[in-house]
């Protein structure tokens, strides 16, 4: 049990990579805060961890909501008294549409969750880890963040650049 006596927070812990990470950390002995927006998914993850003899708490919060996230971190610290590992995993694909069809609200939602949410997760947890002498931070990025897509709607449509003539004037 490599993570015995450690406490981990996993955002996006109700499904996918986050759930697998939370379960694995618990199997290695960590107490886990499973954070996400969907209570039923969080409860299923916690139940799975507890069925295997692990310890976990469901933390319902949207990572882009500072007050909700602050309350969830406080709940985790009240439950376990410390924080050693933070996995900033929560994220969404957002709407796949050409840039001229994508609405500002759709864009803002993706930025709020994927960027602001990661920032807030670290902003609110790092001070607790520093106060106890350190910890580990893992930031998960999907492949969407580091490759180029050519399918329609995944990137703005490629348009032939307009030809412009630059005229230089001098006095």
């Amino acid at each position: 049990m490599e993570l015995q006596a450690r406490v981990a927070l996993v955002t996006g812990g109700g499904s996918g990579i986050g759930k697998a990470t939370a379960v694995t950390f618990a199997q290695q002995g960590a107490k886990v805060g499973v954070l996400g927006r969907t209570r039923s998914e969080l409860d299923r993850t916690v139940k799975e961890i507890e069925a295997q003899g692990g310890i976990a708490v469901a933390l319902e919060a949207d990572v882009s909501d500072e007050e909700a996230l602050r309350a969830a971190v406080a709940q985790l610290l009240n439950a376990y008294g410390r924080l050693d590992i933070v996995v900033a995993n929560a994220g969404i694909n957002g709407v796949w549409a050409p840039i001229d069809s994508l609405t500002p609200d759709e864009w803002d939602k993706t930025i709020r969750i994927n960027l602001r949410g990661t920032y807030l997760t670290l902003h609110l947890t790092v001070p607790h880890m520093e106060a106890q002498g350190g910890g580990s931070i893992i930031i998960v990025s999907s492949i969407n963040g580091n490759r180029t897509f050519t399918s329609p709607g995944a990137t703005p449509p490629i348009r032939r650049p307009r030809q412009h003539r630059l005229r230089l004037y001098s006095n």
Side-chain angles (χ1 to χ4, degrees):
M1 295 241 182
E2 198 170 317
L3 300 178
Q4 194 70 36
R6 301 283 187 226
V7 175
L9 172 66
V10 181
T11 68
S15 64
I17 293 169
K19 179 178 182 175
T21 301
V23 169
T24 300
F25 281 3
Q27 288 169 342
Q28 292 299 313
K31 296 174 184 165
V32 183
V34 182
L35 190 140
R37 296 182 300 170
T38 308
R39 187 63 189 211
S40 59
E41 290 180 348
L42 299 174
D43 290 342
R44 279 193 296 273
T45 301
V46 168
K47 187 176 180 180
E48 183 176 331
I49 288 169
E50 291 174 344
Q52 296 177 20
I55 300 171
V57 61
L59 305 168
E60 187 175 355
D62 182 329
V63 294
S64 69
D65 180 338
E66 181 179 357
E67 292 310 311
L69 187 56
R70 186 180 301 277
V73 170
Q75 183 182 347
L76 178 66
L77 291 167
N78 287 335
Y80 302 130
R82 61 181 297 121
L83 180 58
D84 302 287
I85 304 163
V86 174
V87 181
N89 170 71
I92 62 171
N93 280 327
V95 175
W96 287 49
I99 196 74
D100 52 345
S101 298
L102 186 68
T103 69
D105 287 339
E106 292 165 340
W107 171 263
D108 289 344
K109 180 180 180 182
T110 303
I111 295 300
R112 271 193 320 272
I113 293 171
N114 293 355
L115 298 180
R116 177 183 168 83
T118 300
Y119 157 75
L120 284 174
T121 298
L122 301 181
H123 177 72
L124 297 174
T125 58
V126 166
H128 298 288
M129 291 190 296
E130 284 181 339
Q132 67 191 30
S136 298
I137 297 169
I138 301 165
I139 299 174
V140 178
S141 169
S142 78
I143 196 163
N144 294 347
N146 54 33
R147 74 173 179 157
T148 302
F149 290 88
T150 57
S151 56
T155 57
I158 298 173
R159 296 186 176 130
R160 185 172 181 184
R162 292 187 177 132
Q163 297 290 324
H164 293 283
R165 290 186 181 211
L166 179 62
R167 295 187 181 165
L168 299 176
Y169 296 95
S170 62
N171 291 336

